[in-house]
Amino acid sequence: MKSIKLLILFICFILPINLTACKSTNNADIKPVKSNKDISINMTIEDKDATKVIYEFYKLVVEKKPDEYTKLYTKEYRKLLMDKNVKDDIKYIKSATIKDVKFLKNMPQEKGTQEYKVEIDLQYEGVPEDLKPIAISGERRLFIILKFEDGRWKIASIGTGP
């Protein structure tokens, strides 16, 4: 019997006060949350700005501008290449003709990244003996992962397999 009286008391007095408080909330007080593109970018939808980085990168490679094309690498990728003292074939590319760039929407994308399959024709010149096994002129398929860093897309890796 005592619990019924408490329930009635709650319904008659406490509930209306709570509802009145909720009703008086001004929607103007609610501020929209600002999103950071680094965090919120939807990785399942291709960002057309991302593919521009791939074209820009190979243009700078062919123009022999290493100071500029290395700025298109993520900080982590640049550090990895320097720390490992990786000898790559990039500086020996004479020409690069991109045939096709496809966003791999069915590949699992890490937050803030996009992966692309790139069909490219690379022509080399002046390749040293130790790089000749990998620096072979002709068409090849590359997989390039781009990462959104410092407000723009940058190259996080270039490889021959997904």
Side-chain angles (χ1 to χ4, degrees):
M1 184 76 161
K2 190 175 182 177
S3 61
I4 293 176
K5 285 181 184 179
L6 286 174
L7 182 61
I8 291 171
L9 179 66
F10 177 76
I11 292 172
C12 291
F13 296 104
I14 309 289
L15 190 60
I17 291 170
N18 285 338
L19 292 175
T20 305
C22 291
K23 199 174 188 182
S24 68
T25 302
N26 184 356
N27 284 340
D29 294 337
I30 301 171
K31 303 282 187 246
V33 177
K34 292 183 180 177
S35 64
N36 178 346
K37 192 172 181 180
D38 279 327
I39 297 166
S40 66
I41 192 161
N42 184 345
M43 295 303 105
T44 59
I45 299 172
E46 179 181 9
D47 184 335
K48 296 294 182 188
D49 289 335
T51 58
K52 292 176 186 175
V53 173
I54 297 168
Y55 287 95
E56 182 181 355
F57 174 77
Y58 281 103
K59 177 182 174 283
L60 293 170
V61 166
V62 169
E63 292 173 355
K64 306 292 186 217
K65 296 182 178 178
D67 291 339
E68 291 182 47
Y69 72 70
T70 54
K71 288 179 185 175
L72 297 177
Y73 292 145
T74 62
K75 292 173 195 155
E76 186 178 333
Y77 191 53
R78 194 171 332 144
K79 184 177 177 350
L80 175 74
L81 293 175
M82 290 175 146
D83 287 351
K84 300 289 183 190
N85 199 19
V86 175
K87 287 188 76 175
D88 64 15
D89 59 354
I90 297 289
K91 63 183 171 186
Y92 303 105
I93 294 175
K94 178 175 74 171
S95 70
T97 306
I98 297 174
K99 306 283 187 177
D100 191 33
V101 176
K102 282 199 168 111
F103 173 58
L104 300 176
K105 65 180 178 185
N106 294 327
M107 291 292 289
Q109 306 290 336
E110 183 182 318
K111 198 159 191 94
T113 67
Q114 294 200 337
E115 186 168 356
Y116 292 85
K117 178 174 73 172
V118 179
E119 302 291 338
I120 189 167
D121 183 8
L122 297 173
Q123 298 300 314
Y124 293 90
E125 67 181 355
V127 179
E129 284 300 316
D130 61 332
L131 286 177
K132 283 190 177 178
I134 60 166
I136 301 168
S137 293
E139 289 189 16
R140 57 172 68 183
R141 177 178 295 140
L142 298 175
F143 293 87
I144 299 176
I145 297 175
L146 301 176
K147 183 175 185 178
F148 200 78
E149 180 179 274
D150 299 330
R152 68 178 291 187
W153 288 104
K154 295 194 175 187
I155 296 170
S157 75
I158 300 173
T160 56

